[in-house]
């Protein structure tokens, strides 16, 4: 075997059997991404291989662990200035992958780690694909999450390989699939241990040398349009996507390819990519991508020398839905043992049953093997006392929102656990410093505020009280990431950040309802704006009783601008708790699947008729502008460390429309001066709760924005 190392991106090794092994190793990073230089070198590489009469096949493999190709370089995409420039880039990528598909000898992708976006498009252009069975090997076409579509033939080759239904499932959701599902879909030909990836890929090249016609024929008999409801409406991301242009263009590309052929489909894809890549929505989603990426590298503390403590085992207090959810993500994602405690056997059994259901769902989807499912379940052990807590590194309490109870939990943990054990409170509104007043070691007390349901909601707020040790903060951040969470660090205070900006939004929806605006009109206006659910549907899901506990705390802390509308008290007095007791703003019994009618008897309880008509734009402005106003105050007070963290917290914590970038990006896009003027107009009409934050007034005068770019 001879080796040539003349290229910067690729390493080329020619085997004696005529098979070339091309190792992809893009300089400057721990992941391969498709940068501009990759395209140029790939052309040069293919020229060299085509001219070599001895080449009988090619294997592409990554030189970086856990990363085949993670997609296109987002900086390259963000630098595109015009639709024409973006279309030209798409066509260049398509030509390159066409060359790969039409290469004189079989080409196989040997995939270990992330194979996403342009990386999957490259793999689809190969004649065969083999991947490893390790958890970090995932496949996806996530471009829609950036407000664009695959531009390197992904809309067409996925269609040809796995059929319309499966292709739309990837294209319209942006979801990742693991190795086993990729094999079931037909994305890959084989799944093997990492140790034999290359030999298996070489064997596949040899098989294809004798049977180049072995490519699968996709079943494209299903209707493109008929599948969009399943792909788009069946998940929250899809519902949000309905208000963007990307999914409609993706459907057009797939339909064109299915009805008019591959070349026409490629042209539709290039034009669609060009138009979408320079939209404001795509720009904001790219900004959000950069913010999320930067946050993953952030330890949560300013001192780079601070190191997190090791967390080898945790305890969870309270086996309700929150405690069970925390236990589940700990065993499933962090793969860390959990000692789950509750005061009652019935509560423990319910918590364990919830964990079992979550594991069973993954097992049914074949996301886990039976062996892995058993391991996941066995890592959670139950107890009615503090036995088994003598060696835990972290305890997370998930008990009722009661100060005395939480302070008792602190005392119990300090009595039964080592002095180094961190006590994390999952309080949603009580200041961490108040809870730490009962602690002998307050430096070990931190907030870890999860969002319900824990297994689905991606955000974790880590709350640093004044006395919390920096290494404790860093430990909470690091462990939260191990649980699969996007983590922001916020300062201590009533409501912290996410609930504090959510409260005025929810209150304003309540004021609109008190004025007689219909429940569904309010919810529909805000979902059309881009929120995954409306405020009243959200209250039903969270629990009207749960939501009602936060309002008085914030009202006491911040005064009249946080005064609740008063609806919750009337609803609770009528026995309305939301979905949990099937009695809330919406009907839950005797309702057809897919329907969600308003329970109109709510209006009589509140003393309104629901007949007042207000423009949807005003509903949106009133609810959203007070959220932006409160977010600005949080930033000015240092509640959050930066507008970046504030945007991430709002998007991942409460579903602020991601294509608007978050409250701070959205405020900048409106213009700070225009935002202040609009708030003043509502202040004159509706009162002081719309008074512009001092920081916004000052920024408007100085013509400043939250972001420099």
């Amino acid at each position: 075997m001879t080796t040539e190392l003349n290229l910067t991106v690729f390493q080329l090794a020619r085997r004696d059997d005529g098979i070339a092994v091309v190792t992809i190793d893009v300089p400057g990073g721990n992941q391969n991404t498709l940068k501009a230089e990759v395209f140029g070198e790939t052309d040069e590489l293919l020229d060299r291989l085509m001219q070599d009469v001895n080449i009988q096949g090619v294997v592409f493999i990554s030189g970086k662990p856990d990363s085949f190709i993670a997609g296109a370089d987002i900086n390259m995409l963000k630098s595109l200035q015009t639709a024409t420039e973006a279309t030209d880039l798409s066509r260049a990528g398509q030509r390159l992958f066409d060359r790969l598909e039409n290469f004189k000898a079989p080409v196989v992708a040997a995939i270990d780690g992330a194979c996403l976006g342009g990386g999957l498009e490259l793999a689809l252009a190969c004649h065969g694909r083999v991947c490893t069975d390790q958890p970090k090997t995932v496949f996806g076409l996530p471009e829609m999450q950036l407000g664009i579509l695959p531009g390197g033939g992904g809309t067409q080759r996925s269609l040809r390989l796995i059929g319309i239904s499966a292709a739309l499932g990837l294209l319209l959701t942006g979801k990742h699939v693991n190795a086993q599902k990729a094999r079931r879909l037909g994305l890959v030909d084989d799944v093997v241990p990492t140790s034999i990836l290359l030999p298996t890929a070489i064997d596949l090249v040899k098989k294809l040398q004798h049977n180049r016609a072995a490519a699968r024929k996709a079943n494209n008999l299903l209707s493109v349009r008929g599948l969009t409801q399943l792909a788009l409406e069946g998940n929250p991301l899809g519902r949000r996507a309905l208000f963007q242009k990307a999914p409609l263009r993706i459907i057009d590309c797939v339909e064109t390819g299915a009805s008019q052929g591959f070349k026409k489909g490629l042209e539709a894809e290039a034009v669609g990519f060009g138009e979408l890549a320079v939209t404001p929505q795509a720009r904001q989603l790219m900004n959000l991508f950069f913010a999320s990426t930067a946050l993953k590298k952030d330890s949560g503390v300013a001192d780079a020398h601070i190191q997190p403590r090791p967390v080898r085992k945790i305890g969870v207090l309270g086996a309700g839905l929150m405690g069970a959810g925390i236990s589940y993500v700990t065993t499933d994602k962090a793969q860390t043992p959990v000692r789950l405690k509750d005061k009652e056997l019935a509560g423990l059994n319910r918590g364990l049953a919830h964990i079992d259901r979550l594991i069973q769902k993954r097992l049914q989807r074949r996301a886990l093997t039976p062996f892995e499912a058993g391991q996941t379940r066995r890592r959670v052990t139950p107890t009615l006392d503090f036995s088994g807590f003598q060696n835990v590194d972290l305890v997370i309490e998930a008990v009722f929102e009661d100060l005395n109870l939480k302070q008792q939990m602190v005392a119990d943990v300090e009595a039964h656990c080592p002095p180094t054990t961190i006590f994390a409170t999952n309080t949603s509104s009580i200041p961490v410093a108040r809870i730490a007043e009962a602690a002998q070691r307050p430096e070990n007390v931190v907030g870890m505020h999860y969002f319900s349901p824990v297994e689905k909601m991606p955000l974790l707020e880590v709350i640093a009280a004044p006395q919390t040790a920096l290494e404790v903060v860093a430990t909470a951040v690091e462990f939260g990431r191990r649980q699969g969470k996007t983590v922001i660090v916020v300062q201590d205070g009533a409501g912290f950040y996410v609930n504090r900006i959510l409260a005025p939004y929810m209150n304003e929806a309540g004021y609109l309802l008190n004025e007689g605006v219909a429940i569904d009109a309010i919810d529909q206006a805000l979902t059309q704006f881009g929120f995954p659910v409306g405020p009243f549907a959200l209250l039903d899901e969270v629990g009207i009783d749960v939501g009602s506990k936060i309002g008085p705390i914030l009202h006491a802390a911040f005064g009249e601008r946080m005064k609740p509308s008063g609806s919750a008290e009337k609803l609770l007095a009528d026995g309305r708790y939301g979905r949990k007791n099937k009695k809330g703003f919406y009907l839950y019994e005797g309702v057809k699947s897919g329907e969600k009618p308003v329970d109109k008897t709510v209006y009589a309880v509140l003393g309104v008729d629901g007949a007042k008509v207000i423009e949807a734009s005003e509903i949106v402005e009133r609810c959203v502008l007070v959220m932006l106003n409160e977010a600005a105050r949080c930033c000015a007070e240092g509640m959050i460390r930066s507008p970046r963290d504030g945007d991430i917290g709002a998007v991942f914590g409460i579903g602020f429309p991601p294509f608007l970038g978050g409250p701070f990006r959205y405020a900048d896009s409106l213009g700070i001066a225009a935002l202040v003027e609009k708030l003043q107009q509502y202040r004159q009409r509706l009162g002081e709760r719309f008074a512009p934050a001092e920081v916004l007034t000052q920024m408007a005068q100085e013509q400043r924005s939250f972001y420099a770019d």
Side-chain angles (χ1 to χ4, degrees):
M1 183 186 297
T2 60
T3 303
E4 296 181 3
L5 300 172
N6 300 327
L7 303 170
T8 61
V9 173
F10 301 108
Q11 299 169 17
L12 171 61
R14 294 186 182 89
R15 291 165 47 95
D16 294 338
D17 57 9
I19 296 175
V21 177
V22 178
T23 302
I24 310 165
D25 197 349
V26 180
N30 57 7
Q31 286 190 322
N32 289 319
T33 57
L34 294 179
K35 301 175 183 286
E37 56 265 34
V38 176
F39 289 105
E41 285 202 12
T42 306
D43 262 330
E44 183 181 343
L45 173 72
L46 291 176
D47 285 342
R48 186 181 306 180
L49 294 173
M50 283 292 288
Q51 293 163 9
D52 191 333
V53 296
N54 295 315
I55 294 298
Q56 302 298 311
V58 180
V59 172
F60 280 95
I61 194 168
S62 173
K64 298 184 188 295
D66 303 329
S67 171
F68 180 68
I69 300 176
D73 178 23
I74 308 300
N75 282 302
M76 177 181 69
L77 298 180
K78 195 177 179 185
S79 69
L80 299 169
Q81 298 298 313
T82 66
T84 299
E85 189 180 354
T87 297
D88 289 344
L89 177 66
S90 174
R91 288 175 176 148
Q94 290 175 350
R95 284 193 297 270
L96 182 64
F97 295 149
D98 280 349
R99 289 195 67 190
L100 199 60
E101 183 175 13
N102 296 317
F103 191 71
K104 64 179 182 178
V107 182
V108 169
I111 300 159
D112 179 45
C115 181
L116 304 171
L120 181 52
E121 289 181 298
L122 182 149
L124 290 171
C126 295
H127 306 114
R129 289 149 295 280
V130 180
C131 75
T132 64
D133 57 3
Q134 62 119 334
K136 292 185 179 179
T137 296
V138 292
F139 300 82
L141 293 167
E143 285 84 354
M144 198 198 71
Q145 295 178 8
L146 294 175
I148 57 177
L149 53 77
T155 64
Q156 304 306 303
R157 289 194 174 90
S158 63
L159 165 67
R160 292 196 308 178
L161 185 65
I162 62 176
I164 289 175
S165 177
L168 283 176
L170 292 177
L171 291 163
L172 294 175
T173 67
K175 287 182 178 178
H176 297 177
V177 298
N178 64 16
Q180 298 300 336
K181 185 166 184 179
R183 177 164 55 185
R184 292 199 304 274
L185 289 174
L187 280 175
V188 298
D189 300 280
D190 205 356
V191 180
V192 298
T194 305
S195 59
I196 61 169
L197 175 64
L198 182 56
T200 306
I202 290 169
D203 285 346
L204 182 57
V205 169
K206 293 177 179 179
K207 290 176 183 176
L208 291 172
Q209 287 171 346
H210 302 292
N211 186 15
R212 286 287 297 274
R216 292 183 177 88
K217 300 297 182 182
N219 177 10
N220 293 329
L221 299 177
L222 297 173
S223 161
V224 177
R225 297 286 177 181
L227 288 162
T228 57
Q229 182 174 3
L230 173 65
L232 282 174
E233 311 246 351
N235 63 85
L237 177 63
R239 287 196 296 274
R240 284 202 296 267
L242 283 170
F243 312 111
Q244 302 174 53
K245 298 177 182 177
L248 300 179
R249 294 310 301 262
I250 288 171
I251 293 166
D252 287 342
C253 292
V254 172
E255 186 170 46
T256 300
S259 61
Q260 299 181 42
F262 185 71
K263 288 186 178 180
K264 290 286 188 182
L266 285 181
E267 182 57 25
E269 178 185 272
V271 172
F273 179 87
E275 292 177 359
L276 293 171
V278 293
T279 61
Q281 292 88 349
R283 292 291 190 233
Q284 294 290 25
L285 289 166
M286 290 177 196
N287 288 332
L288 200 61
F289 171 85
F290 286 122
S292 301
T293 302
L295 201 60
K296 291 175 184 176
K297 303 172 184 176
D298 191 332
S299 69
V301 297
D303 189 339
H305 299 291
I306 299 293
Q307 294 297 314
R309 300 177 189 174
V311 177
R312 294 171 287 260
K313 178 182 177 182
I314 79 163
V316 174
L317 305 179
L321 289 179
M322 187 66 73
I326 293 168
S327 300
Y328 171 74
V329 297
T330 301
T331 180
D332 181 59
K333 301 288 187 184
Q335 298 188 354
T336 299
V338 182
R339 190 69 164 166
L340 177 60
K341 178 185 180 299
D342 201 276
K343 64 179 182 178
E344 296 177 350
L345 182 60
L348 265 182
N349 287 336
R350 285 192 296 270
L352 293 172
H354 181 67
I355 294 168
D356 286 340
R357 283 193 296 272
L358 295 174
I359 294 172
Q360 191 63 31
K361 285 180 182 178
R362 294 200 66 205
L363 189 59
Q364 289 172 350
R365 296 199 307 268
R366 299 184 186 178
L368 289 175
T369 66
F371 176 75
E372 290 168 335
Q375 281 188 312
T376 302
R377 176 61 185 82
R378 284 190 292 272
R379 278 192 288 262
V380 182
T381 58
T383 182
L384 293 170
D385 54 31
F386 280 93
S387 62
F389 275 71
Q390 69 277 4
N391 60 344
V392 297
D393 302 301
L394 167 69
V395 174
I396 304 172
E397 68 80 8
V399 299
F400 294 114
E401 197 75 345
D402 178 271
L403 176 60
N404 292 331
L405 179 58
K406 290 179 185 290
Q407 288 181 335
Q408 182 61 53
M409 294 296 100
V410 175
D412 289 343
V413 166
E414 289 188 328
H416 292 92
C417 299
T420 55
T421 298
I422 294 170
F423 181 89
T425 172
N426 181 47
T427 178
S428 58
S429 56
I430 301 171
V432 175
R434 294 291 312 280
I435 296 168
E437 289 172 357
Q440 297 177 18
R441 294 178 287 275
E443 68 277 5
N444 281 342
V445 180
V446 69
M448 293 180 73
H449 178 210
Y450 297 83
F451 295 81
S452 184
V454 180
E455 62 273 9
K456 292 182 180 178
M457 295 297 289
L459 188 72
L460 170 65
E461 279 185 310
V462 168
I463 301 107
Q467 76 280 2
T468 307
L470 292 180
E471 69 172 13
V472 169
V473 175
T475 304
V477 169
E478 194 271 341
F479 191 71
R481 290 204 185 109
R482 284 171 57 190
Q483 292 175 314
K485 299 301 179 185
T486 297
V487 186
I488 62 170
V489 175
V490 305
Q491 295 305 305
D492 198 16
F496 315 123
Y497 171 67
V498 172
N499 280 343
R500 182 170 158 186
I501 68 168
L502 180 63
Y505 166 90
M506 299 295 286
N507 287 345
E508 198 58 37
Y511 284 121
L512 284 160
L513 178 56
N514 287 349
E515 292 171 23
V517 182
I519 292 164
D520 49 352
I522 298 167
D523 274 1
Q524 287 170 14
L526 288 156
T527 54
Q528 288 288 334
F529 179 70
F531 283 94
V533 296
F536 298 113
L538 178 62
L539 261 180
D540 266 8
E541 292 296 327
V542 171
I544 297 168
D545 55 330
V546 174
S548 70
K549 293 177 181 178
I550 299 172
I553 293 172
L554 294 175
H555 186 200
F558 300 110
E560 287 302 294
R561 77 170 188 267
M562 288 284 192
K563 182 179 180 181
S565 66
S567 302
E569 291 80 0
K570 296 177 183 177
L571 295 168
L572 293 174
D574 193 48
R576 295 176 185 267
Y577 294 88
R579 180 182 284 276
K580 67 176 72 175
N581 74 335
K582 295 183 171 54
K583 191 176 180 183
F585 292 99
Y586 288 89
L587 292 172
Y588 295 96
E589 294 183 312
V591 176
K592 293 181 181 178
S593 177
E595 293 184 356
K596 194 175 183 181
V598 170
D599 182 351
K600 294 186 179 180
T601 62
V602 170
Y603 297 126
V605 173
L606 298 176
V608 297
D609 59 11
K612 184 174 181 178
V613 177
I614 290 182
E615 290 291 332
S617 58
E618 180 174 330
I619 293 171
V620 169
E621 279 186 347
R622 284 177 57 174
C623 293
V624 173
L625 295 188
V626 288
M627 177 185 284
L628 304 187
N629 206 21
E630 199 61 35
R633 290 190 179 96
C634 288
C635 190
E637 295 168 14
M639 174 61 65
I640 50 175
R641 295 179 299 161
S642 65
R644 176 203 72 182
D645 287 13
D647 283 338
I648 291 288
V651 170
F652 287 87
I654 57 178
F656 191 93
F659 52 86
L660 297 178
F664 296 96
R665 287 283 184 188
Y666 184 51
D668 279 356
S669 70
L670 293 175
I672 303 301
L675 173 58
V676 169
E677 182 180 357
K678 184 64 72 172
L679 283 166
Q680 289 286 22
Q681 291 173 4
Y682 279 115
R683 180 186 190 181
Q684 292 171 6
R685 275 183 52 200
L686 299 170
E688 288 302 302
R689 66 181 184 274
F690 284 95
E694 184 178 341
V695 64
L696 288 178
T697 302
Q698 186 175 353
M699 289 173 68
Q701 291 171 351
E702 297 172 359
Q703 298 183 333
R704 288 190 291 118
S705 58
F706 288 105
Y707 290 93
D709 60 336

